[in-house]
Amino acid sequence: IGQCRRDCPNFRAIEDRLRDGSPLDDDETLRIAGEVAAGLAHAHEQGIVHRDVKPANIILGDEGVILVDFGVARALGGEQEEGTIAVGTPRFMAPEVLAGGTVSAASDVYSLAATLWTLLIGSPPRYGDALKLEKLAPAIDPELRAAIASGLELLPEERISSAAAFAEAIGAPL
């Protein structure tokens, strides 16, 4: 995909658009988040947790969004599910992943919520920033802010637990 970023004008990483200053409107942002959530829901149904959802791993193509780089993905329920070394991008990693704890579908929900925050605000959140979203983006619909805050809960048992539920909460049902 690295070669394609340079040579294939019909494929572009979301991160490149953010870096270029190409704006994403709210409708496009929610469409992208909904499509990523659909991809994650499918991966989770197959027993796979991505563990590195971030703008650099979301590619815009002619026919929709492609979630790439499953290089650090883990099988749910596998023997390496708990106590793994933290791998991923810290500002997008769920706290339990960063700490090397148990990974779950809720871990990917955290990363997707952090990605959505980044698309709306322009930079990723810091741990515990979810309450600041109203100050940073007062024009964002309160229900969307609440869904993002729920996706960014520090404790996985308090977080939206599935990609499908997150998509529903942000108004982009699968």
Side-chain angles (χ1 to χ4, degrees):
I1 209 70
Q3 185 66 30
C4 198
R5 285 185 184 168
R6 291 187 294 277
D7 300 335
C8 304
N10 296 334
F11 291 92
R12 189 168 186 203
I14 300 259
E15 179 181 62
D16 294 340
R17 284 214 26 209
L18 293 173
R19 200 173 315 133
D20 291 350
S22 302
L24 297 170
D25 64 37
D26 290 352
D27 289 339
E28 183 179 19
T29 298
L30 289 176
R31 179 187 61 78
I32 290 166
E35 288 186 35
V36 172
L40 287 173
H42 179 72
H44 297 160
E45 288 170 2
Q46 307 310 307
I48 303 294
V49 179
H50 188 282
R51 295 197 322 152
D52 199 21
V53 177
K54 61 184 178 183
N57 288 338
I58 300 170
I59 306 298
L60 298 174
D62 288 337
E63 298 191 23
V65 173
I66 304 164
L67 182 61
V68 298
D69 194 2
F70 280 76
V72 297
R74 286 281 181 254
L76 285 169
E79 59 186 60
Q80 292 185 350
E81 180 180 290
E82 206 172 311
T84 60
I85 296 171
V87 178
T89 306
R91 297 273 305 267
F92 294 94
M93 290 171 71
E96 66 274 13
V97 176
L98 189 61
T102 302
V103 298
S104 68
S107 305
D108 281 346
V109 169
Y110 182 95
S111 298
L112 179 54
T115 297
L116 180 53
W117 171 297
T118 303
L119 297 178
L120 293 169
I121 304 300
S123 62
R126 297 181 192 279
Y127 291 124
D129 264 358
L131 299 176
K132 297 178 184 175
L133 187 56
E134 185 173 3
K135 290 181 181 178
L136 294 171
I140 294 176
D141 178 75
E143 289 181 17
L144 178 57
R145 279 197 312 261
I148 294 170
S150 184
L152 291 173
E153 284 287 343
L154 296 178
L155 299 174
E157 58 273 8
E158 294 180 9
R159 190 179 309 139
I160 295 175
S161 62
S162 74
F166 186 73
E168 182 77 31
I170 65 170
L174 306 184

